[in-house]
Amino acid sequence: MREIITIIINNIKIIGTYHFNKPEFRHLKQRKDQNVCTALILFNFGEVPRSGHGNFSARIGDAIACSNSIVFRFDLPGLGDTKGNTQFLLNDLYKKIENKYYQEIGVEIVRHIHLEFGFNKIFIGGLCGGAITALFVASKLPSLIKGL
């Protein structure tokens, strides 16, 4: 199952999707005190929206949710459904990603998911630019991120 999620970080409305396999996981805030579930957060694959090429991210989310984990896929600012500055060329986007362009917003997304929903195990990842962003985010949150 999938639901759209919106979170506000630094006055930016971040649009995402979360995957779950049990109806009781539909209302994430109810999970806050249970602290038993694992979350995976996937970042955009470069300029591609959160669904990924050929819905690859969506399929990853569905498959991993079958193991009682919850998967979040977020569009970072300027990508997909999240508004933001995209006044640069595609080649410049990758240079920006390599220079930690999405690191701070990624850190804030992870903190928000941890504080708001109480997950005790958070993994992050992505492909291409999403993997680079995940590495930078993990370097800022070594005690919170359990793996890449």
Side-chain angles (χ1 to χ4, degrees):
M1 292 177 263
R2 301 179 194 166
E3 295 280 334
I4 298 298
I5 184 171
T6 301
I7 60 177
I8 306 295
I9 296 177
N10 300 332
N11 294 318
I12 301 169
K13 187 176 174 180
I14 307 291
I15 309 297
T17 303
Y18 71 95
H19 299 251
F20 55 97
N21 74 334
K22 294 182 179 178
E24 60 267 25
F25 289 175
R26 181 176 304 275
H27 303 289
L28 286 175
K29 291 188 182 206
Q30 294 175 358
R31 305 240 358 110
K32 188 170 184 175
D33 296 328
Q34 295 178 21
N35 223 5
V36 296
C37 201
T38 299
L40 169 64
I41 300 170
L42 294 173
F43 297 113
N44 295 78
F45 302 175
E47 79 283 2
V48 179
R50 68 184 179 273
S51 59
H53 294 289
N55 285 326
F56 186 59
S57 290
R59 286 192 237 149
I60 290 171
D62 289 343
I64 292 174
C66 288
S67 69
N68 291 333
S69 296
I70 291 182
V71 179
F72 294 90
R73 297 181 290 112
F74 287 104
D75 283 331
L76 296 169
L79 303 174
D81 293 324
T82 299
K83 295 192 182 329
N85 180 16
T86 54
Q87 300 301 315
F88 42 81
L89 299 173
L90 185 57
N91 287 341
D92 292 336
L93 172 63
Y94 288 97
K95 290 176 189 165
K96 288 178 174 288
I97 289 170
E98 291 168 359
N99 288 307
K100 304 179 182 181
Y101 187 73
Y102 289 116
Q103 180 183 34
E104 289 309 313
I105 195 78
V107 165
E108 293 307 316
I109 288 170
V110 172
R111 284 184 178 143
H112 178 88
I113 295 302
H114 173 67
L115 294 173
E116 185 71 17
F117 306 116
F119 292 106
N120 59 354
K121 293 180 184 172
I122 297 177
F123 295 81
I124 60 174
L127 294 176
C128 192
I132 295 169
T133 297
L135 287 168
F136 289 139
V137 170
S139 74
K140 289 282 198 171
L141 299 170
S143 62
L144 185 56
I145 303 300
K146 301 302 179 196
L148 293 167

